[in-house]
Amino acid sequence: MISKAGKLAGVKRPASMEMAQKARELAQSGQNIISLSSGQPHWDTPQPVKDAAWRALEHGETKYTPVDGIPPLKHAIIEKFIRDNDLSYNPSEVIVGAGVKQVISNALAATLDPGDEVLFPTPCWVSYPDIARLCGATPVPIATGPETQFKLTPDQLSSAITPRTKWVILNSPNNPSGAIYTAQELRALAEILLQHEHVAILCDDIYEHFCYTDAPFVTMAQVEPRLKSRTLTCNGVSKAYAMTGWRIGYAGGPDSVISGMRTIQSQTTSAPSSIAQWAAVEALTGDQSFLVTNRELYRSNRDVAVGLLSSVDGMSCQTPDGGFYAYPDISTLIGKSTPGGVRIETDDDFAMQLLLETGVAIVAGSAYGTSPFIRVSFATSQALLKDACQRIAAFCQDLR
């Protein structure tokens, strides 16, 4: 028998994937399931992007590509950073990976040693702590809550940094809370980071095009150019362009980090799919007007979801500024029981019983480092969203 590596202790599949799989299994058995657990848009990949993939096939673009991405895609990424973020990179400072998860994993694998620390505010995307563990480092969650709109404060950051801190990860808009850091808030954090030259910053901007505030989206290296030399700005085509299955992420950052990531990638996956890369070129360089249309659609969905969830007795829900998740607090429902006598002890219990009794799949806040909350994706049709929220309300009403 081959035993698992010790570093896998405590590492498990993301809860969002587990819940989505459970929902699929129940749906395949004939049950009426509404899944609000997955982090992906419900619309299809734009037709021009799919057409670009077909052209790539017809032109024989099916061979190995450079490890860090084809030159046309790297050029498109460079232009995107200039257009959207006022950031300038050379080709050697840009890398393409098989999704943002791989990009982040490669960055941490290329820079972390045992004993190093990775800081991130919670709630956070489920994979940050486990990626750090797999790299032999220590994840350091910094708890935030509704009182700060789920945002890291300068005092919290200052208190958490130690000589072993290697990275601080900022995700804005945040998954799962939808929190967005303003330029002023990023400058305040930057003032702390400027005092600690050994700390690098990883900005996960994958939800950049789902911002519902009047202020434009900003990222750390844009707001504080003095930190650009130690900031890795990560993004991808998965969310904005409905290309989650195409697996294309990218990053811009200092050559010293990018070269290490390139080495890691060359010895693991090599380059991403050649066809997906050509599709991503079209996504980043083609007509961008649909991004506004889709953002407004999800703004409307957000308002519907928050309105319905906020009206549920025992549920408190802040209005997210970005992303496509609502993140209600269910603390007053903990300790109650279903009509069948199942006691809700945790947000995990709530999520599982909700799925089994109503057919609505959501994800417990414990997966994101905060409890008792639930993450409800509003990346679906408004009709299904209303139906799901009504089922959630009925489930909560029946708890005693």
Side-chain angles (χ1 to χ4, degrees):
M1 177 179 173
I2 301 175
S3 60
K4 292 182 180 179
K7 63 185 176 183
L8 287 179
V11 176
K12 55 187 177 181
R13 289 185 65 198
S16 54
M17 291 185 178
E18 294 286 358
M19 186 58 75
Q21 178 61 31
K22 180 67 174 177
R24 281 191 291 269
E25 291 171 358
L26 291 174
Q28 290 169 0
S29 71
Q31 297 189 44
N32 180 9
I33 302 297
I34 302 176
S35 182
L36 304 183
S37 60
S38 295
Q40 60 182 346
H42 73 291
W43 53 74
D44 196 12
T45 302
Q47 189 61 46
V49 176
K50 293 192 286 186
D51 291 342
W54 278 114
R55 288 195 300 272
L57 283 168
E58 291 169 350
H59 294 161
E61 301 289 356
T62 57
K63 306 296 192 294
Y64 290 133
T65 76
V67 168
D68 55 355
I70 58 175
L73 179 53
K74 293 182 73 172
H75 178 73
I77 291 165
I78 290 168
E79 291 300 310
K80 179 264 181 253
F81 276 130
I82 294 171
R83 178 184 71 226
D84 295 341
N85 310 115
D86 295 323
L87 291 173
S88 178
Y89 294 106
N90 296 319
S92 64
E93 297 173 316
V94 169
I95 190 168
V96 182
V100 182
K101 183 180 286 189
Q102 186 193 26
V103 169
I104 294 172
S105 296
N106 286 351
L108 299 191
T111 56
L112 290 172
D113 290 312
D116 287 343
E117 297 174 347
V118 179
L119 276 56
F120 47 85
T122 56
C124 70
W125 179 50
V126 295
S127 291
Y128 296 148
D130 283 339
I131 292 173
R133 291 188 187 99
L134 286 171
C135 294
T138 302
V140 181
I142 307 172
T144 71
E147 66 281 356
T148 63
Q149 297 181 305
F150 298 104
K151 298 179 192 180
L152 179 68
T153 68
D155 286 343
Q156 286 180 304
L157 177 59
S158 180
S159 298
I161 292 175
T162 75
R164 299 298 301 176
T165 302
K166 194 68 170 281
W167 286 96
V168 171
I169 301 179
L170 296 175
N171 174 212
S172 175
N174 173 264
N175 172 14
S177 72
I180 297 177
Y181 289 90
T182 65
Q184 182 178 359
E185 289 165 340
L186 286 179
R187 289 191 190 98
L189 295 175
E191 287 301 317
I192 303 300
L193 292 165
L194 287 167
Q195 300 171 30
H196 300 278
E197 295 185 359
H198 66 290
V199 178
I201 304 96
L202 190 154
C203 290
D204 181 355
D205 297 346
I206 190 65
Y207 293 95
E208 171 184 10
H209 292 292
F210 296 94
C211 295
Y212 312 119
T213 62
D214 293 333
F217 171 82
V218 288
T219 191
M220 180 61 86
Q222 173 187 11
V223 167
E224 181 44 84
R226 289 178 292 175
L227 289 175
K228 182 171 180 279
S229 64
R230 49 189 169 106
T231 299
L232 187 72
T233 304
C234 303
N235 212 317
V237 298
S238 291
K239 311 297 184 180
Y241 301 93
M243 295 174 67
T244 53
W246 297 75
R247 308 312 303 135
I248 295 293
Y250 56 84
D255 182 76
S256 58
V257 174
I258 297 295
S259 63
M261 296 167 65
R262 192 181 302 119
T263 299
I264 295 287
Q265 192 158 300
S266 71
Q267 295 292 0
T268 53
T269 62
S270 192
S273 159
S274 59
I275 299 162
Q277 288 187 66
W278 283 104
V281 172
E282 173 61 30
L284 293 176
T285 62
D287 179 22
Q288 307 289 299
S289 61
F290 71 92
L291 295 175
V292 176
T293 302
N294 291 347
R295 182 177 67 240
E296 291 310 304
L297 171 62
Y298 277 1
R299 184 201 300 270
S300 177
N301 277 14
R302 175 200 66 169
D303 294 343
V304 167
V306 171
L308 290 172
L309 294 172
S310 295
S311 67
V312 176
D313 287 341
M315 195 172 283
S316 173
C317 186
Q318 287 195 355
T319 300
D321 287 333
F324 37 71
Y325 312 105
Y327 199 56
D329 180 339
I330 61 166
S331 55
T332 62
L333 298 174
I334 300 301
K336 295 189 175 183
S337 298
T338 68
V342 177
R343 185 173 171 84
I344 305 298
E345 298 283 4
T346 64
D347 46 18
D348 294 277
D349 294 340
F350 182 97
M352 184 54 66
Q353 289 307 125
L354 179 71
L355 175 60
L356 296 176
E357 297 190 22
T358 74
V360 175
I362 50 91
V363 186
S366 61
Y368 307 96
T370 51
S371 291
F373 289 82
I374 57 172
R375 191 192 77 166
V376 180
S377 171
F378 49 81
T380 187
S381 72
Q382 203 158 109
L384 283 177
L385 182 62
K386 289 179 179 178
D387 186 354
C389 288
Q390 289 165 358
R391 295 189 200 183
I392 293 172
F395 175 79
C396 294
Q397 185 176 354
D398 288 341
L399 294 177
R400 293 291 183 268

